[in-house]
Amino acid sequence: MYHDSLIRILAARLADAIAQVTGKTPGEVDPVLRPAGDPKFGDYQCNAAMPLARPLRAKPRDIAQRIVEAARLDDLTEPPKVEGPGFINLRLRREFLADYLRSIRAPRDEPAPDRRGLVRTATPETVVIDYSSPNIAKQMHVGHLRSTIIGDVFARVLAFEGHEVIRQNHVGDWGTQFGMLIMHYAEHPIPAGEDHDQVLAAIENDYRRAQQRFQRDPAFATAARNAVGRLQSGDPEALHIWQTVRAASRRAFLDNYHRLNVLLTDDDVCGESFYNDRLAAVVAELREKLAPGAGAAHDGARVECREDEGAVCIFFYDENGEPRFRKPDGNELPMIVRKSDGAYLYATTDLAALRYRIKELGADRVIYVTDPRQKLHFEMLFAVARAVGWAAEHVRLEHVTFGSVLGNDKRPLKTREGENVKLRELLDEAERRAFELLDQRDRAAADEGRPTEPLSDAEKREIARRVGVAAVKYADLRNDRASDYVFNWDRMLAMQGNTAPYMMYAYARIRSIYRKAADRFGTPDVYAPGVTLRLDTPAERTLALRLARFGETLDAVASELAPHILCGYLYELAAEFMRFYEACPVLKAPDDDTRLSRMRLCDLTARTLRLGLNLLGIETIERM
Ligand code: ARG
């Protein structure tokens, strides 16, 4: 049985050989193995020989030759070829590829949900993912939307890989702004109602009014500042208003999550207020451990916590003793953790949260998904966590950012009135357009006298719902997350190209091909022990290789935190399936064995598409 990803199986064998050649242990060497750029040269390329030339004082080509001679690969690959300056090109044997895929058992023999034969990682980590994290009393903006969609893919893929994923929705539910809201709602009723989005919109409106009054009415401003103090000391009226606003905001967020088909629930909310009673202790710990002269350094850089003009600040110095961060005016930029009036800040909360995540949740890896404006904040945060000793060497701290969503005018997406686009309106429109698309398609088919699988109106609406949400999400995920992208309805709903409708349609089509063959030939068991995979034609081999690379694709998404790699993979898979289907008839296969083999490839492709799309947070449809 082969469970591990192809690249890991090959890498392990090559590591053994390189260890022999270099006299090291397999764990110490890096086989520098990657998928071949051009299938002409093979399926994978090992580039380990070049960096060994100097330490071994030999020509890279000779080292490559020695690696090839030491390697036991004959059950996996054709004889390896040393080419160019010392590349080792590897082509998988067809028998191995067929065996590898044959080890994927029938869905009925797989634990549910389908893992499609993939094992969990042997080195599971506890991964905290901080994503979505909107602010209460305000509707989510586009940045929160991207964080929600992208962070959710990380949560799904890392959990699938076998890691312990802890989702943390670091909702902004604390801060001086609540003083204004408390004063406002002391005089006005708090909005309520069945429609959670509308309630939140009304609260946001009130918040804006309160802000304006705060600017021009000094008495109101003073009262608002006092209200913050009352809230902190647990005054029942202040507390009640805050709790009501928070609950209303959270209900609206949950509605949004549900509609977006993301995993976040109320249990994942661990908002800023959760850390309130830890802040004083955190600041005390920082002052003690990072006291000037305490020698708290990391990677040659020094981090110091001391009072500056009444505020408690953290200062950062590089190995030359120069300030690491500077303000635009050139002065050094500290991280303030307590203001001179005793108030704590966003940064203080994040310090407490990171400490909690590592020390109490046991995180080995902490991933934050926000827009790039917070880059500096997280750089400082991570530097402090290292210096103070919360984050040991092995703990990975990652700030994952993303580009902006642009309108057709290439400027950040806004409504015609210049407002932020509301998620609900976006999804309503996506659904409406998806429904239209289905209608158009049916009308076109009827005009041309093509038979379609008849769908009821309710079915169509459900399809439109799934396709609409999927189109919006997929259009976001298919791009390298760091780049900006233009939000374009026609492009994201196109039936051709790397879009959700295309992918979902490809899935439904493969299911239908399979159903037809199964009906015609008496529902054969394509996973029966006697069925072998025949990869005789180039199209069959290409499809099989793509299928076999699913595991390593997920590994890459998990390590690079790059959902677009999975989108690209699935798109290639769908395209290669279509080429296979053109070249290799399934219903009219030359003989029973070939047909069963091809039907099995159909089923494996469909399962891969479904699992892959599900990991992107997209629900497939059996008939479209
Ligand atoms: N609420 C913040 C915002 O809207 C995002 C929080 C991100 N997470 C964190 N731990 N700081 O910008």
Side-chain angles (χ1 to χ4, degrees):
M1 291 263 267
Y2 308 101
H3 305 287
D4 221 341
S5 69
L6 277 186
I7 203 162
R8 274 196 294 225
I9 295 173
L10 285 171
R13 297 281 185 92
L14 285 162
D16 285 341
I18 298 167
Q20 277 181 45
V21 170
T22 55
K24 296 199 171 142
T25 64
E28 291 170 327
V29 301
D30 179 2
V32 204
L33 184 66
R34 49 185 56 110
D38 183 343
K40 257 205 324 266
F41 297 117
D43 303 324
Y44 289 91
Q45 188 169 73
C46 161
N47 294 339
M50 278 72 78
L52 290 175
R54 195 179 288 240
L56 293 185
R57 296 166 192 279
K59 288 205 201 79
R61 275 192 76 102
D62 295 341
I63 299 172
Q65 199 53 49
R66 266 151 54 197
I67 295 173
V68 163
E69 274 154 27
R72 281 188 31 253
L73 287 167
D74 31 312
D75 55 329
L76 307 182
T77 70
E78 308 291 347
K81 287 203 185 101
V82 176
E83 273 157 333
F87 305 130
I88 303 172
N89 289 328
L90 302 165
R91 186 181 302 279
L92 296 169
R93 293 183 52 182
R94 224 182 309 159
E95 296 80 1
F96 168 64
L97 208 46
D99 273 359
Y100 181 84
L101 288 180
R102 248 167 61 88
S103 75
I104 301 171
R105 294 173 301 178
R108 60 171 184 274
D109 299 326
E110 277 267 329
D114 191 7
R115 293 192 59 83
R116 222 220 56 165
L118 292 169
V119 279
R120 292 186 165 74
T121 171
T123 50
E125 294 180 318
T126 298
V127 186
V128 167
I129 310 180
D130 177 323
Y131 70 107
S132 193
S133 307
N135 303 316
I136 71 169
K138 283 193 208 158
Q139 290 167 281
M140 279 198 229
H141 58 59
V142 177
H144 296 128
L145 183 65
R146 286 212 79 184
S147 170
T148 305
I149 293 174
I150 294 169
D152 206 58
V153 177
F154 301 159
R156 288 174 192 264
V157 171
L158 288 164
F160 182 84
E161 294 261 289
H163 299 291
E164 168 82 37
V165 171
I166 305 177
R167 301 184 294 267
Q168 292 281 281
N169 194 353
H170 192 80
V171 170
D173 62 356
W174 199 254
T176 45
Q177 73 270 31
F178 289 105
M180 297 173 223
L181 276 170
I182 288 165
M183 286 320 295
H184 182 88
Y185 289 132
E187 295 169 4
H188 303 89
I190 305 179
E194 293 292 300
D195 186 328
H196 302 148
D197 264 340
Q198 245 165 38
V199 170
L200 182 54
I203 291 176
E204 183 170 0
N205 228 2
D206 291 340
Y207 176 41
R208 254 190 245 129
R209 280 167 57 203
Q211 265 177 319
Q212 283 158 8
R213 186 157 169 210
F214 187 86
Q215 301 295 338
R216 46 157 223 270
D217 179 349
F220 182 80
T222 311
R225 285 198 195 93
N226 291 338
V228 179
R230 276 197 286 136
L231 178 61
Q232 271 159 351
S233 55
D235 170 78
E237 192 207 8
L239 215 52
H240 170 76
I241 293 174
W242 172 69
Q243 276 162 348
T244 309
V245 170
R246 182 169 76 154
S249 307
R250 274 162 69 156
R251 276 193 290 271
F253 298 153
L254 283 181
D255 282 1
N256 288 337
Y257 297 148
H258 183 74
R259 193 153 178 210
L260 277 173
N261 188 41
V262 296
L263 300 171
L264 290 169
T265 69
D266 216 30
D267 292 340
D268 303 317
V269 174
C270 191
E272 294 182 17
S273 63
F274 173 82
Y275 302 100
N276 282 349
D277 52 16
R278 297 164 189 255
L279 301 178
V282 162
V283 171
E285 183 178 348
L286 293 170
R287 293 187 78 161
E288 185 202 317
K289 295 195 177 151
L290 301 181
H298 180 78
D299 286 349
R302 208 155 39 79
V303 178
E304 232 175 68
C305 182
R306 61 182 140 88
E307 222 164 277
D308 189 64
E309 293 174 31
V312 180
C313 300
I314 301 176
F315 293 88
F316 304 83
Y317 301 98
D318 65 17
E319 51 280 12
N320 306 318
E322 288 293 317
R324 232 182 106 185
F325 306 106
R326 287 183 191 276
K327 296 182 207 166
D329 67 7
N331 283 328
E332 69 178 309
L333 178 68
M335 180 183 237
I336 305 175
V337 295
R338 203 182 71 198
K339 294 204 281 193
S340 52
D341 64 3
Y344 299 110
L345 299 95
Y346 181 65
T348 327
T349 303
D350 254 329
L351 284 162
L354 183 49
R355 185 184 191 285
Y356 168 77
R357 290 166 183 183
I358 298 170
K359 296 258 170 199
E360 293 180 51
L361 299 180
D364 302 300
R365 186 177 186 187
V366 189
I367 299 169
Y368 295 84
V369 193
T370 83
D371 71 47
R373 283 173 303 182
Q374 301 197 38
K375 187 167 176 289
L376 193 58
H377 165 72
F378 285 108
E379 243 176 83
M380 291 178 161
L381 180 68
F382 298 166
V384 176
R386 298 277 182 212
V388 75
W390 297 335
E393 208 65 61
H394 85 275
V395 176
R396 268 188 287 172
L397 305 174
E398 288 163 284
H399 180 216
V400 174
T401 63
F402 42 79
S404 311
V405 184
L406 308 176
N408 279 324
D409 56 359
K410 304 272 158 60
R411 306 176 62 99
L413 188 66
K414 291 266 163 21
T415 61
R416 230 169 288 150
E417 294 73 38
E419 298 209 13
N420 277 331
V421 180
K422 300 283 173 285
L423 178 67
R424 148 177 297 162
E425 283 154 26
L426 211 71
L427 294 183
D428 284 349
E429 171 134 19
E431 266 178 43
R432 195 178 53 69
R433 286 176 183 256
F435 192 88
E436 229 164 66
L437 204 72
L438 292 169
D439 252 2
Q440 265 170 23
R441 186 198 56 178
D442 288 357
R443 271 200 308 271
D447 288 350
E448 292 162 26
R450 269 188 286 124
T452 47
E453 297 191 49
L455 293 171
S456 72
D457 245 27
E459 274 177 305
K460 257 198 224 164
R461 259 196 302 280
E462 172 61 14
I463 295 174
R465 185 187 69 77
R466 291 193 187 195
V467 172
V469 180
V472 170
K473 291 175 81 171
Y474 196 89
D476 191 295
L477 295 168
R478 56 162 276 191
N479 307 291
D480 188 325
R481 62 176 159 70
S483 46
D484 300 344
Y485 73 91
V486 173
F487 190 93
N488 180 306
W489 286 116
D490 293 333
R491 207 174 315 146
M492 74 176 73
L493 282 161
M495 276 296 203
Q496 289 303 324
N498 193 4
T499 67
Y502 171 75
M503 298 303 306
M504 296 168 87
Y505 181 66
Y507 172 78
R509 171 123 187 264
I510 299 168
R511 280 294 191 223
S512 132
I513 291 167
Y514 186 91
R515 269 197 308 273
K516 268 192 208 125
D519 286 350
R520 176 94 59 89
F521 295 96
T523 15
D525 178 4
V526 299
Y527 289 96
V531 177
T532 48
L533 284 174
R534 318 199 32 181
L535 308 178
D536 304 329
T537 67
E540 282 166 307
R541 190 186 185 281
T542 305
L543 177 63
L545 178 62
R546 181 71 57 184
L547 286 168
R549 282 194 176 160
F550 186 46
E552 69 196 42
T553 302
L554 296 182
D555 289 350
V557 176
S559 65
E560 291 169 42
L561 300 176
H564 77 281
I565 296 178
L566 180 52
C567 296
Y569 169 87
L570 295 173
Y571 181 56
E572 290 295 331
L573 175 63
E576 274 157 9
F577 178 87
M578 294 310 164
R579 284 194 280 274
F580 151 81
Y581 186 62
E582 255 161 51
C584 306
V586 177
L587 281 164
K588 298 198 175 102
D591 54 67
D592 286 354
D593 287 350
T594 309
R595 191 179 51 253
L596 286 171
S597 163
R598 289 178 182 173
M599 283 178 72
R600 185 145 158 186
L601 285 175
C602 286
D603 196 57
L604 286 172
T605 306
R607 286 170 69 184
T608 308
L609 284 175
R610 185 178 57 194
L611 179 52
L613 288 170
N614 287 349
L615 290 172
L616 294 171
I618 290 173
E619 301 170 280
T620 49
I621 299 160
E622 296 300 305
R623 291 167 205 267
M624 240 171 112

